Amino acid sequence: MIVAEQKPFEDIYSYAKRHRRVLLLGCGTCVTVCMAGGEKEVGILASLVRLAARERNDDITVDEHTITRQCDAEFFDETTARKAADAEAVISMGCGVGVQFCAQRFPDKIVYPALNTKFYGATIEQGVWAERCAGCGECVLADFGGICPVARCSKSLLNGPCGGSQDGRCEVDPERVECAWQLIYERMEAMGRLEELEKIQPFKDWSQHRDGGPRTITREEVRL
Amino acid sequence: MSTETIAMPAETAETDALRIIAFCCHYCAFTAADLAGTMRRQYPPNIRIVRFPCTGRLETNTILQAFLDGADGVLVAGCEPGGCHFLKGNLRAAKRVEHCRRLLEQAGVSPERLEMRHIAASQGPLFAETARQFTEKIRMIKEQARRGTAPSDECLGDEP
Amino acid sequence: MNTTMLKAGSRLERILRSGRPVVTAELGPPKSADTDLIRRKAGYLRGVVDAANITDNQTAIVRMSSIGAALIAMQEGLEPVIQITCRDRNRLAVQSDVLGAYALGIRNVLCLTGDHQKFGNHPAAKNVFDMDSIQLVAMLRAMRDEKVFACGDEIRNSKKAPVVEPRMFIGAAANPFGDPFPFRVARLAKKVNAGADFIQTQCIYDMKRFRQWMQQVCDRGLHERVYILAGITPLKSLRMAEHMRDNVAGLTVPEEIIERLRGAENAAEEGERIAVEQIQELLQIPGVHGVHIMAIESEHIVPDLLKKAGLLPRPVVADPLHDAVTSGPEMLRDSVSGVAENRNRAAQPVG
């Protein structure tokens, strides 16, 4: 899923304060799962904006609404359109994709982001999420025992650990980040595949990553 | 639950009538409040008790809603650590309340207006005492806020 | 010595070939455009070391470029080893820099992954890591031996123009102390297979672990395929030793050394004594071809240290850079007009 976290409240409030009526629009997919921008978070943020507006004597009306997915046109229904029309601006609690989709759907509204979109990740445990994929466009997981060095090594090293690996942790953030290469080594060792790691991995083709420019996929067989 | 408004005690003739919501766990603090009554322990009438099956059921937004609906203070009263009927609901509530205090601060609301307490079912007198203390604290906070916003004579004196 | 067999022809390569123990040292460029500092540091090392590593924004702190500082060091009679990290440059930038460095007469390069920018003074910078150090070694080897760029194109300006490839003596680093330990020697083997000619190690304090690692190196026969220079960083104080032990990943400082420094009247002198002992011990280990002194911001102690270690005077070799410099472009010849004198001075047998 795409993992995001809420922006500092002051940032969001500074957006809301520019208008008399805003729509807080939640997204029911990834950001609901990572507890950043679903219906529940919309409710909390709406309450906070209202409380702050009352404390600071600002005139802001906050509407709340959450749709199934902000990155899919079909979920922007009439109710959503009406609520957006009623508001001066939309504060999207979707990921960066959702914010842009909102901006496209509501061309005459200013759309603000309420979240900082962080990474493609997994729920490690309730309340803990971690990056697992960098979207490099050309998956290398087959060679590394199912552990991605591109996303999980701080330097995206393809040929083994740098000197900053100690006790299984990455020196960049020892408390939170495991050394991907320690994990790769252990897994390949357990599978009796260590000799595969002695192969020199050639340059990666970063043109498949975002370095090649924004990516699109078109599949004629499923187009309507 | 989250968007329901919580009925407040009608404002009395006193202008400083405090509105305090106590979210109480059915298994402990609510029973303690009942016991306080049975034992004829007095506690301030400003407190409106809302019974929960467990403080762990209490959502962040329910607390925020209470403030939005006019509460001056919110007391969350759950079981003692280790005594939760659902094992850890009270501990989760404590974490949530701590988080909620930070949110209130961001919104410019004094985090002191929200508090979590642990009160066992048998502690009727403790409930009454807690209610008294919390009410007194909220009264002082409200008083301070009133004084803080109203310019004092000295302040006016500084202006040309 | 058969010069036709030389890969790059640098002094470093020639002395390593000769079988004599080699001494290299680190020269950190200034955090400014101050040329005097480089000349001063070069003065300490001239005639004392066989080549000097010019670091590349080490610990991710912005410093004068290694090529710029290397040129000044050359003017002062030092042979430079330019360090190149993968943190700041992609394959275009590195190849372009190596062409430039070679054109300026630089013949040695050390390929590094690079410290993460988090540890430096621009932690908000975007890193590159287009490639890793092993791919970097392979790229420079292909440029030299196959005379092609990373894309496969020949290194020539046009179809009619001559092929002029950068012939670098290629180094890489090794950390015998990082984790996972069993993979460390495999990683060295990858560097050797990629084309590394010499290796400079992380600074060594834990002699036991280093010996273990060297044993593995010899078991694989790697010591016969690559020159290994053992890293030495003299400890200046107890605090420095404790900092190294506690805060530098992939580095262990044995309690015995800490104790010696703690008990010493003059910790700096004791640190130097320890370094001298380490140098002498390291040079006895099979497969170790020399030492690499990383005296961080204290290059001035290197001459005394090497004298005490019995490594002075340094051998004199035929001037490897002479041709490159005198056949260089007009401007360069002007800018290094003082080089010949300096170099002559450096070439005097010491002692």
Side-chain angles (χ1 to χ4, degrees):
Chain A
M1 94 189 106
I2 291 179
V3 181
E5 68 181 357
Q6 206 174 301
K7 279 179 174 288
F9 178 72
E10 273 311 312
D11 291 5
I12 300 172
Y13 192 77
S14 75
Y15 301 146
K17 211 184 136 171
R18 299 174 198 172
H19 308 278
R20 276 175 317 181
R21 186 162 187 173
V22 295
L23 171 64
L24 260 186
L25 187 63
C27 176
T29 307
C30 309
V31 293
T32 293
V33 181
C34 70
M35 302 180 182
E39 191 175 4
K40 198 187 243 186
E41 291 76 28
V42 165
I44 294 170
L45 184 58
S47 295
L48 275 182
V49 173
R50 290 178 190 128
L51 269 175
R54 196 173 69 188
E55 289 294 322
R56 305 173 198 193
N57 290 320
D58 292 329
D59 176 19
I60 308 171
T61 302
V62 184
D63 297 324
E64 305 169 36
H65 188 51
T66 299
I67 61 176
T68 306
R69 248 200 312 285
Q70 284 189 19
C71 58
D72 228 332
E74 66 178 282
F75 298 107
F76 287 80
D77 57 6
E78 270 179 40
T79 314
T80 313
R82 203 182 57 243
K83 286 185 184 246
D86 288 345
E88 283 179 26
V90 176
I91 299 178
S92 164
M93 292 195 76
C95 68
V97 182
V99 177
Q100 294 183 61
F101 226 82
C102 285
Q104 205 178 327
R105 299 297 295 183
F106 316 126
D108 56 339
K109 300 289 171 197
I110 300 181
V111 179
Y112 299 102
L115 305 184
N116 288 324
T117 305
K118 294 292 187 178
F119 48 79
Y120 311 139
T123 309
I124 305 306
E125 58 179 87
Q126 167 123 341
V128 181
W129 296 271
E131 185 161 17
R132 286 292 180 266
C133 177
C136 75
E138 202 170 56
C139 191
V140 297
L141 281 167
D143 289 343
F144 302 103
I147 294 147
C148 182
V150 180
R152 297 178 67 182
C153 166
S154 295
K155 300 175 184 173
S156 296
L157 303 180
L158 296 179
N159 279 297
C162 72
S165 169
Q166 195 148 45
D167 303 324
R169 317 301 297 183
C170 171
E171 68 172 344
V172 171
D173 188 354
E175 266 175 46
R176 275 171 292 194
V177 181
E178 294 170 289
C179 170
W181 271 98
Q182 179 75 36
L183 299 174
I184 292 168
Y185 181 82
E186 284 168 8
R187 186 145 165 83
M188 293 298 264
E189 185 182 37
M191 289 190 298
R193 293 173 59 193
L194 273 184
E195 77 285 358
E196 288 178 47
L197 294 182
E198 304 232 356
K199 175 185 164 241
I200 293 175
Q201 292 285 341
F203 283 140
K204 188 162 171 58
D205 176 1
W206 293 110
S207 72
Q208 299 304 306
H209 196 197
R210 218 218 65 89
D211 304 85
R215 294 163 285 181
T216 57
I217 295 172
T218 307
R219 284 175 53 192
E220 288 302 332
E221 84 280 14
V222 288
R223 291 184 83 178
L224 298 177
Chain B
M1 178 76 233
S2 63
T3 51
E4 272 175 33
T5 56
I6 294 156
M8 291 293 157
E11 200 149 345
T12 64
E14 286 177 63
T15 50
D16 68 339
L18 293 175
R19 286 175 292 192
I20 294 175
I21 298 294
F23 292 112
C24 293
C25 163
H26 164 80
Y27 291 94
C28 55
F30 185 80
T31 311
D34 210 18
L35 183 62
T38 313
M39 294 168 77
R40 300 193 180 273
R41 295 291 182 116
Q42 291 277 324
Y43 62 87
N46 317 58
I47 292 198
R48 164 66 59 101
I49 294 175
V50 181
R51 176 163 58 161
F52 268 70
C54 172
T55 48
R57 174 66 186 84
L58 183 58
E59 297 274 0
T60 303
N61 203 20
T62 309
I63 299 172
L64 298 178
Q65 288 283 340
F67 283 106
L68 270 176
D69 290 343
D72 296 301
V74 172
L75 180 68
V76 179
C79 301
E80 292 183 307
C84 176
H85 187 74
F86 303 101
L87 305 178
K88 284 182 177 175
N90 55 344
L91 303 179
R92 289 180 182 137
K95 278 167 83 171
R96 216 168 289 155
V97 166
E98 209 36 61
H99 172 64
C100 207
R101 282 162 63 97
R102 285 195 293 273
L103 294 180
L104 288 173
E105 198 164 19
Q106 288 170 6
V109 176
S110 166
E112 293 304 312
R113 288 167 63 184
L114 170 64
E115 208 171 283
M116 169 99 192
R117 289 296 186 92
H118 301 279
I119 300 168
S122 60
Q123 294 175 311
L126 178 63
F127 181 87
E129 181 54 28
T130 303
R132 251 196 313 276
Q133 280 175 4
F134 188 64
T135 306
E136 194 44 45
K137 181 167 117 176
I138 297 301
R139 192 188 305 284
M140 279 172 62
I141 291 170
K142 205 172 179 184
E143 197 58 39
Q144 276 171 357
R146 194 176 294 143
R147 264 187 276 126
T149 48
S152 69
D153 291 340
E154 286 149 37
C155 276
L156 286 172
D158 286 339
E159 294 290 321
Chain C
M1 190 156 39
N2 184 353
T3 52
T4 58
M5 297 280 289
L6 291 171
K7 289 172 174 173
S10 67
R11 181 192 299 161
L12 177 63
E13 183 182 10
R14 287 164 195 256
I15 300 180
L16 280 168
R17 285 267 185 125
S18 75
R20 278 170 290 188
V22 157
V23 179
T24 55
E26 206 168 81
L27 191 162
K31 289 184 273 188
S32 69
D34 177 8
T35 54
D36 292 345
L37 185 88
I38 304 166
R39 295 189 196 281
R40 192 161 70 241
K41 287 181 171 186
Y44 300 133
L45 302 178
R46 179 173 48 231
V48 168
V49 299
D50 302 316
N53 282 48
I54 316 294
T55 54
D56 177 14
N57 292 335
Q58 66 180 110
T59 62
I61 288 170
V62 175
R63 288 169 184 273
M64 186 189 291
S65 75
S66 60
I67 295 174
L71 197 64
I72 296 166
M74 282 165 72
Q75 291 170 359
E76 294 299 313
L78 275 183
E79 175 170 294
V81 178
I82 54 161
Q83 301 196 170
I84 297 182
T85 72
C86 300
R87 179 195 56 233
D88 307 331
R89 292 181 193 79
N90 67 6
R91 59 192 86 167
L92 278 88
V94 169
Q95 292 180 98
S96 153
D97 276 354
V98 166
L99 290 180
Y102 184 78
L104 292 170
I106 293 163
R107 293 292 178 269
N108 308 301
V109 54
L110 183 75
C111 303
L112 300 167
T113 304
D115 292 320
H116 196 272
Q117 72 278 5
K118 186 205 154 170
F119 300 105
N121 59 359
H122 291 73
K126 190 178 194 305
N127 62 37
V128 181
F129 296 120
D130 177 24
M131 58 194 145
D132 58 34
S133 57
I134 290 172
Q135 292 161 343
L136 172 57
V137 167
M139 180 174 82
L140 297 188
R141 192 206 60 78
M143 287 176 88
R144 181 188 67 200
D145 298 347
E146 272 127 57
K147 304 173 177 44
V148 290
F149 288 112
C151 61
D153 290 354
E154 268 193 307
I155 303 178
R156 65 206 302 177
N157 197 45
S158 68
K159 275 185 181 165
K160 286 178 187 162
V163 172
V164 185
E165 78 283 8
R167 302 198 61 79
M168 290 292 188
F169 194 51
I170 303 165
N175 184 345
F177 309 107
D179 288 325
F181 183 61
F183 193 64
R184 288 293 151 184
V185 74
R187 190 160 153 81
L188 175 71
K190 286 177 89 162
K191 290 188 176 182
V192 175
N193 291 334
D197 302 308
F198 68 99
I199 297 292
Q200 291 171 318
T201 78
Q202 167 70 288
C203 52
I204 298 156
Y205 298 106
D206 186 346
M207 214 51 90
K208 200 175 142 216
R209 193 156 177 182
F210 181 70
R211 280 181 184 280
Q212 275 176 11
W213 182 77
M214 275 310 296
Q215 187 58 51
Q216 294 174 11
V217 170
C218 294
D219 289 347
R220 283 196 183 217
L222 295 171
H223 64 303
E224 283 163 3
R225 297 173 56 203
V226 73
Y227 300 110
I228 294 172
L229 308 182
I232 289 284
T233 293
L235 293 164
K236 286 184 270 190
S237 63
L238 177 64
R239 223 180 95 228
M240 177 183 176
E242 286 171 341
H243 171 80
M244 295 274 230
R245 180 190 63 187
D246 301 335
N247 301 326
V248 183
L251 210 116
T252 48
V253 183
E255 199 48 38
E256 179 199 327
I257 287 179
I258 303 274
E259 281 309 317
R260 273 184 71 174
L261 290 171
R262 189 176 285 134
E265 236 168 67
N266 183 330
E269 278 176 16
E270 187 66 17
E272 194 182 317
R273 258 196 298 282
I274 293 170
V276 169
E277 291 167 25
Q278 284 171 332
I279 290 171
Q280 287 165 342
E281 186 176 351
L282 286 166
L283 289 175
Q284 299 303 314
I285 297 175
V288 172
H289 301 84
V291 288
H292 176 52
I293 317 291
M294 292 166 277
I296 305 154
E297 289 304 322
S298 41
E299 287 85 349
H300 62 277
I301 70 166
V302 176
D304 190 48
L305 181 69
L306 293 176
K307 194 170 167 217
K308 287 177 179 160
L311 286 167
L312 294 184
R314 301 307 310 148
V316 177
V317 296
D319 195 338
L321 294 178
H322 185 75
D323 293 348
V325 172
T326 50
S327 66
E330 206 71 38
M331 198 184 72
L332 173 65
R333 221 179 305 152
D334 290 345
S335 72
V336 296
S337 54
V339 171
E341 296 161 37
N342 281 328
R343 224 179 315 100
N344 289 340
R345 213 183 324 144
Q348 298 291 322
V350 184

